[in-house]
Amino acid sequence: MWDVIAMDDTLNGTRAGTAVHSVPARGRLLDRIGELQTEIGQLEEAIVSHAVIDQAIDVIISLGGLRPDQGFGVLREVSQHTNTKLRQVCEQIVGWVQGGELSDEVRSALGRALIAPRSS
């Protein structure tokens, strides 16, 4: 769809000019808005995920007396051995230190994973 916007203003008795602007179809604009809203939702989720992972790393560092890279490694190992998404493992651990409970599977994998970094 094309819209023509005429700029009929005169400047010193001469015509300023005519501009032609391409205006995308309404459907394309609505699609793009939908895409951007989806992207915003994903970015918001990533921010929350990142915060939870950082908090869980802090818990692991405190529990095991580890370096931050080792703390993340422990979380990754627990996630892989329990076949649970990293974010979910981290949510359990953060919830646990706030009075919640760890699943038996995560508790067991965490115990094993906390021993390994000390020996390396």
Side-chain angles (χ1 to χ4, degrees), residues 57-75:
I57 289 171
D58 289 344
V59 170
I60 299 304
I61 289 170
S62 297
L63 284 175
L66 306 173
R67 296 185 318 268
D69 61 317
Q70 291 174 313
F72 182 75
V74 165
L75 293 172

Side-chain angles (χ1 to χ4, degrees), residues 48-102:
V48 170
S49 261
H50 188 73
V52 169
I53 292 169
D54 284 345
Q55 292 168 4
I57 289 171
D58 289 344
V59 170
I60 299 304
I61 289 170
S62 297
L63 284 175
L66 306 173
R67 296 185 318 268
D69 61 317
Q70 291 174 313
F72 182 75
V74 165
L75 293 172
R76 187 178 58 235
E77 186 176 330
V78 171
S79 172
Q80 291 171 346
H81 285 112
T82 61
N83 198 27
T84 306
K85 290 185 178 187
L86 180 67
R87 178 181 176 177
Q88 293 171 333
V89 168
C90 293
E91 287 171 346
Q92 272 195 52
I93 290 170
V94 170
W96 171 60
V97 297
Q98 295 172 345
E101 293 193 22
L102 286 176

